[in-house]
Amino acid sequence: MTSRLAERLRQLQGAISDEPAPELSGRLTRMVGLTLECVGCPMVVGDRCLIQGDSATSVEAEVVGFEEDKVYLMPLTAIEGLKPGARVIPLASASRVPVGPQMLGRVVNGAGDPLDGKGPLQAEARVQLTGDIINPLNRAPVRQSMDVGIRAINALLTVGQGQRLGLFAGSGVGKSMLLGMMTRFTDADITVVGLIGERGREVKEFIEDILGDEGLARSVVVAAPADDSPLMRLRAAMLTTRIAEYYRDQGKRVLLLMDSLTRYAQAQREIALAVGEPPATKGYPPSVFAKLPQLVERTGNGRPGGGSITAFYTVLTEGDDQQDPIADAARAILDGHIVLSRRLAEEGHYPAIDVEASISRVMPQVTDSEHFSRAQRFKQVYSRYQQARDLISVGAYVKGSDPETDFAIQHIGNMSQFLQQGLNESAPLTEAIEQLMAVVPERRSPERRKTAVPNPAGNRDNV
Ligand SMILES: Nc1ncnc2c1ncn2[C@@H]1O[C@H](COP(=O)(O)OP(=O)(O)O)[C@@H](O)[C@H]1O
Ligand SMILES: [Mg+2]
């Protein structure tokens, strides 16, 4: 009898030690819009938790703020089946996301789950969503050029490895097309594309039509369309950066393309307003302006000798307004901006890069002096034509009144041709520089005038 009892006791003891520790859980008390309030369970901002719905469903949420004993939560997925008093169970681990070489050619959502129906991801590792911050003083400086495969950028706005640029444009001006061309034509080792807050249809179009099989094979795509929760959109932007960091830490030269930084800022605005942060600048609460550099500063060069992340962030300038607060903030934290012009797009001039309004701040450090001065010369001549453009078009410009303008008129056709590029035409860096040298004749010094090769503008002294 005693032995049977002892045996039974041992069995029960075994069962007890296998049981997980008792769960601490809170209760859902309020839900307004996307904000959920929970009591009875202290959690730290950024913690994850599961809210148990009425049936088998549960909703994952993240702590985004608190007030006295109330904790504010924001769901990651659609909220369904939640009722007052629902159990809120904190999750122990910080959220981890998959990374690894097998992600190449895959499309994932903000949680790292595949969206492309190509089966589960064979991730090499799962890492925390926020990578280690590299001390800015330990980062390699931007010194080498990066071939992005776009002639106007390679020749006139040369990008450096580890540079961060903004692509400023209104909607429908050709941002997505340009990013797609870069993905296909860049010589970067890998491209990581983040599609944040776009319409679902655009995501599909971008992947199937613009990237195509060729572009997709050399990239990883993270997509969080506009109907994803704002938290998921933020996560997708962070995941895009995290995947790029992973490849950089493997010594790769990564090109990160994020479309768009504005939608990322808007997702943060939705969250901040929902938890009661007051709006400051044109409806954007201050935390938005703190979040932007936190995301952007993670890209760039790694430690010397390591890999790099060269990044392009698209910034929407609604109604082509360059004074938008997000555009302003982005301009201040990025090392260059490329502006797409609606006028050029309407003229059928693609890519519609406004070379006058665009600048790459690292160009002097990554180009030789001959290339740099020729690019400057191109911009001067091009600008001269644009200044006189209205006069010329109404026939009010009298030929011969300004030699520099005459020169510009003579070359504008070639220059404009040079700036345009077909969707399927690649323009490698060295080729782009050679073409730049050919399209704008050098400004000739008086001594060299006699021996110089004759050119169409040979009779003008001040060329
Ligand atoms: N390089 C290009 N060549 C020809 N057409 C283009 C080019 N880039 C853009 N377009 C035209 O502009 C439209 C909008 O481009 P898209 O890249 O989707 O704009 P955005 O992403 O800025 O909203 C395209 O559907 C296409 O008709
Ligand atoms: Mg687009």
Side-chain angles (χ1 to χ4, degrees):
M1 181 68 185
T2 20
S3 69
R4 270 179 54 204
L5 261 178
E7 174 63 19
R8 180 96 183 99
L9 212 62
R10 248 198 316 277
Q11 277 175 358
L12 287 174
Q13 241 167 0
I16 290 169
S17 57
D18 283 349
E19 265 309 294
E23 268 179 353
L24 189 68
S25 68
R27 268 184 317 109
L28 201 62
T29 51
R30 187 162 181 259
M31 174 175 152
V32 178
L34 283 179
T35 326
L36 310 172
E37 282 180 23
C38 154
V39 293
C41 179
M43 285 184 282
V44 177
V45 173
D47 271 0
R48 297 186 311 142
C49 57
L50 269 187
I51 309 167
Q52 280 184 343
D54 50 1
S55 54
T57 57
S58 53
V59 175
E60 190 182 334
E62 190 178 302
V63 179
V64 288
F66 57 83
E67 189 183 333
E68 293 175 0
D69 58 346
K70 280 183 295 193
V71 177
Y72 296 131
L73 307 172
M74 187 70 69
L76 270 172
T77 49
I79 353 182
E80 268 162 29
L82 297 188
K83 59 181 182 197
R87 269 183 90 196
V88 179
I89 305 160
L91 293 172
S93 64
S95 77
R96 291 188 165 262
V97 289
V99 288
Q102 298 86 348
M103 295 193 82
L104 212 59
R106 300 300 303 266
V107 183
V108 298
N109 68 9
D113 299 325
L115 288 174
D116 50 11
K118 293 184 189 166
L121 268 180
Q122 306 293 328
E124 182 174 77
R126 288 195 159 258
V127 295
Q128 290 215 353
L129 194 53
T130 42
D132 293 337
I133 307 264
I134 304 178
N135 177 341
L137 300 181
N138 293 342
R139 285 177 186 265
V142 180
R143 286 291 175 270
Q144 271 178 306
S145 56
M146 173 90 179
D147 185 349
V148 294
I150 309 295
R151 186 160 45 239
I153 299 179
N154 277 346
L156 300 171
L157 302 160
T158 315
V159 173
Q161 276 175 36
Q163 187 179 2
R164 295 169 287 219
L165 294 108
L167 189 62
F168 293 74
S171 57
V173 185
K175 293 180 298 299
S176 303
M177 293 279 192
L178 186 57
L179 295 185
M181 283 169 77
M182 283 193 211
T183 311
R184 284 180 287 134
F185 303 142
T186 175
D187 79 340
D189 297 324
I190 191 162
T191 311
V192 185
V193 186
L195 302 174
I196 316 296
E198 293 284 304
R199 279 166 289 165
R201 183 182 58 79
E202 285 175 316
V203 171
K204 187 173 155 70
E205 265 176 23
F206 184 82
I207 293 165
E208 289 180 0
D209 306 338
I210 304 183
L211 277 189
D213 291 342
E214 184 196 353
L216 189 58
R218 24 191 334 212
S219 40
V220 181
V221 180
V222 182
D227 56 347
D228 271 9
S229 74
L231 208 53
M232 202 61 152
R233 280 177 265 148
L234 285 192
R235 285 232 184 153
M238 294 201 288
L239 177 60
T240 311
T241 312
R242 189 70 191 94
I243 294 172
E245 282 173 333
Y246 166 82
Y247 285 111
R248 173 185 65 193
D249 295 344
Q250 312 255 312
K252 298 265 196 290
R253 289 154 59 247
V254 183
L255 180 66
L256 180 149
L257 305 174
M258 194 169 292
D259 191 12
S260 73
L261 193 63
T262 306
R263 302 276 184 237
Y264 170 81
Q266 288 171 348
Q268 174 59 27
R269 172 171 69 181
E270 279 177 51
I271 295 174
L273 292 178
V275 296
E277 192 182 337
T281 321
K282 287 203 182 169
Y284 285 97
S287 66
V288 173
F289 300 97
K291 275 267 183 186
L292 285 177
Q294 278 172 14
L295 182 77
V296 169
E297 280 295 324
R298 280 169 54 191
T299 59
N301 278 336
R303 295 178 177 83
S308 62
I309 305 176
T310 310
F312 279 85
Y313 296 93
T314 68
V315 178
L316 292 169
T317 45
E318 294 301 344
D320 296 272
D321 167 22
Q322 301 285 329
Q323 303 312 315
D324 175 82
I326 297 303
D328 262 353
R331 214 174 281 116
I333 55 174
L334 296 167
D335 323 310
H337 48 269
I338 291 176
V339 179
L340 300 188
S341 137
R342 190 171 296 279
R343 180 178 65 75
L344 288 173
E346 280 166 2
E347 286 173 6
H349 175 122
Y350 288 112
I353 298 171
D354 181 346
V355 291
E356 288 181 283
S358 307
I359 185 168
S360 161
R361 290 190 199 156
V362 308
M363 186 165 172
Q365 280 98 55
V366 299
T367 49
D368 61 39
S369 58
E370 198 191 349
H371 171 194
F372 185 68
S373 62
R374 202 62 82 87
Q376 295 292 88
R377 178 81 186 121
F378 184 108
K379 288 188 199 170
Q380 283 164 5
V381 177
Y382 190 77
S383 279
R384 182 58 70 111
Y385 180 83
Q386 300 306 330
Q387 283 159 17
R389 190 182 145 97
D390 291 343
L391 285 182
I392 298 167
S393 62
V394 296
Y397 177 75
V398 180
K399 200 162 174 257
S401 36
D402 176 38
E404 183 77 349
T405 306
D406 289 341
F407 180 74
I409 293 172
Q410 206 157 27
H411 287 88
I412 192 68
N414 286 343
M415 293 171 96
S416 169
Q417 204 60 47
F418 172 83
L419 294 174
Q420 296 177 48
Q421 185 173 339
L423 278 175
N424 295 315
E425 178 196 351
S426 129
L429 186 64
T430 43
E431 209 178 288
I433 298 172
E434 276 166 27
Q435 288 172 341
L436 169 70
M437 298 296 179
V439 80
V440 185
E442 197 176 0
R443 182 200 294 270
R444 289 176 301 131
S445 58
E447 309 82 69
R448 291 183 53 202
R449 205 182 312 145
K450 289 202 179 66
T451 51
V453 187
N455 67 49
N459 57 339
R460 290 179 216 292
D461 286 351
N462 60 345
V463 163

